[in-house]
Amino acid sequence: MSGAAGAGPVPAQDAVEQYLVARRAAKPSPHTVAAYRRDLNSVLALVARERGCRVRDVALADLEAGVLRSAFADFATERAASSVVRAWSTWNGFFGFWVSERVVGGNPMSAVPRPRVRPSGPKPLMGEDTPERLLEALARGARRARDPWPERDLAVLALALLTGMRSAEMLSLRVESVGGRAGERRIRVVGKGGGERVLPIEVPLEVLLEAYLASRRHRFGVVRGADPLLVDNRGQGLRRGGLQYLVRQCYKHAGVHDRVARGTLVHALRHTFATRLAEDGASVSEIMHLLGHASVSSSQAYIEVTARAQREAAGSNRTYGVVRRLVAEGGGEGGVGEVVGG
């Protein structure tokens, strides 16, 4: 692609695809590339609507600050601030690339506002017994569907709760990702940036996965090692929207939908996994490895939240009510000792 004088207008759609090809050198995961493409094409469609033309008729030169501001305002209407920030960053990278290629003269994204996203702490499932209640309900076949598949539902939710994997990591798993001898199974996970980590799984989860695969073979026949580990009711690899729908339905039919923080679905399961690790005394480095975090600060958040939760739980002890009253009543000259009979 050339920006030389005399060349015809560069179609924005072509620029998007060439940018994504150039990004391959950084080895992004397929899910990351899909997210880039989704953010770029979604805003591009809004630009086309704003200009009253077809998407394929939008040129790279048409993507000026004014039209992008309008498109991002529409984009933000029904999306969370974090999604808008992610799309803004994707477009910023897109223009940065074409500026470096000398195809465009500048990056208009500096003139496009982006929301400020306050760093939020972990949002695990609310309620001490919620993970157990969820899994027990699914094991009883609580999820009512036209084609019920309790073995699959239970395997998916248990896998998330017991490994803390991200949605994209779960979706990228293959049957052969689970390896090792019986009783010593482990799962090889491809995380952000293509980094790999190996997660141990215990016998109970191993049994659930084997029951799920047996039910899958009964439904669809042979299951090969290169096949996706998690599939939908047609036997096709489970996709992002399908996973979110499945988890949402599991929450609903298990009666725990009101215990899920707003804006979380699969991620609530990951946060529950990590929070319970911290509550049970896991170190920051252990949490960091199991979650696949690149920095200690991300994992430290679970330790800090757990410490606050423990203090709040301790402070809610009813005996504190008596002590607080005694301290308040003993605030005079005699002090607390006088109140308690000193």
Side-chain angles (χ1 to χ4, degrees), residues 1-340:
M1 185 178 291
S2 172
V10 176
Q13 273 189 322
D14 292 354
V16 165
E17 291 305 317
Q18 292 196 35
Y19 168 66
L20 294 176
V21 169
R23 287 287 303 166
R24 290 179 189 169
K27 301 293 288 183
S29 73
H31 295 285
T32 298
V33 174
Y36 287 156
R37 179 176 282 109
R38 187 167 55 248
D39 288 340
L40 291 166
N41 286 334
S42 295
V43 174
L44 199 55
L46 294 171
V47 169
R49 189 174 73 181
E50 174 77 12
R51 295 180 60 83
C53 65
R54 297 171 299 182
V55 173
R56 64 174 176 266
D57 294 329
V58 178
L60 190 57
D62 296 330
L63 301 176
E64 298 175 336
V67 72
L68 284 169
R69 276 197 298 269
S70 179
F72 264 87
D74 288 343
F75 183 84
T77 301
E78 297 181 353
R79 291 175 173 84
S82 57
S83 297
V84 180
V85 169
R86 187 196 64 217
W88 190 98
S89 298
T90 300
W91 274 89
N92 190 53
F94 168 80
F95 278 111
F97 172 77
W98 288 119
V99 168
S100 69
E101 292 289 302
R102 300 184 180 181
V103 173
V104 297
N107 186 342
M109 293 306 296
S110 60
V112 178
R114 59 174 173 170
R116 292 184 178 181
V117 179
R118 294 180 179 178
S120 59
K123 296 178 180 178
L125 294 173
M126 294 174 274
E128 182 62 29
D129 66 338
T130 303
E132 291 75 18
R133 180 174 165 180
L134 173 61
L135 295 178
E136 288 168 358
L138 294 177
R140 293 194 303 268
R143 187 186 171 211
R144 302 176 190 88
R146 283 179 295 179
D147 182 16
W149 194 357
E151 297 89 351
R152 191 274 315 275
D153 297 348
L154 184 57
V156 170
L157 273 292
L159 186 65
L161 280 167
L162 292 170
T163 66
M165 279 187 272
R166 303 176 178 93
S167 298
E169 293 170 346
M170 292 178 64
L171 296 174
S172 67
L173 292 173
R174 301 289 157 183
V175 174
E176 62 193 8
S177 299
V178 181
R181 297 180 297 181
E184 298 179 0
R185 302 284 191 213
R186 54 190 179 276
I187 300 181
R188 186 170 297 278
V189 181
V190 179
K192 285 186 175 181
E196 290 191 1
R197 66 187 188 279
V198 176
L199 303 177
I201 62 174
E202 299 297 322
V203 172
L205 179 55
E206 181 183 326
V207 171
L208 289 184
L209 290 173
E210 288 175 349
Y212 152 62
L213 290 173
S215 70
R216 179 171 157 186
R217 283 189 287 269
H218 179 73
R219 283 173 171 251
F220 306 115
V222 176
V223 177
R224 298 176 178 83
D227 292 341
L229 178 62
L230 305 179
V231 298
D232 59 24
N233 283 38
R234 297 169 300 169
Q236 303 297 311
L238 201 58
R239 305 179 75 171
R240 182 170 176 266
L243 177 61
Q244 291 179 329
Y245 177 78
L246 186 156
V247 171
R248 184 184 293 111
Q249 289 297 302
C250 287
Y251 289 151
K252 176 183 175 181
H253 290 288
V256 300
H257 59 282
D258 58 342
R259 300 186 179 191
V260 185
R262 185 179 179 182
T264 66
L265 278 173
V266 185
H267 229 58
L269 304 173
R270 176 174 166 84
H271 287 178
T272 301
F273 166 80
T275 301
R276 286 195 160 189
L277 281 181
E279 289 172 345
D280 292 338
S283 67
V284 173
S285 61
E286 289 168 336
I287 296 173
M288 182 177 174
H289 170 74
L290 291 170
L291 292 182
H293 282 156
S295 68
V296 171
S297 60
S298 298
S299 303
Q300 183 67 37
Y302 293 98
I303 301 291
E304 292 171 352
V305 166
T306 300
R308 288 199 300 272
Q310 288 175 345
R311 177 171 288 276
E312 289 169 2
S316 67
N317 188 325
R318 284 174 293 173
T319 307
Y320 265 114
V322 177
V323 175
R324 289 189 187 100
R325 178 174 57 79
L326 293 175
V327 170
E329 292 175 354
E333 292 182 3
V336 175
E338 182 176 323
V339 175
V340 297

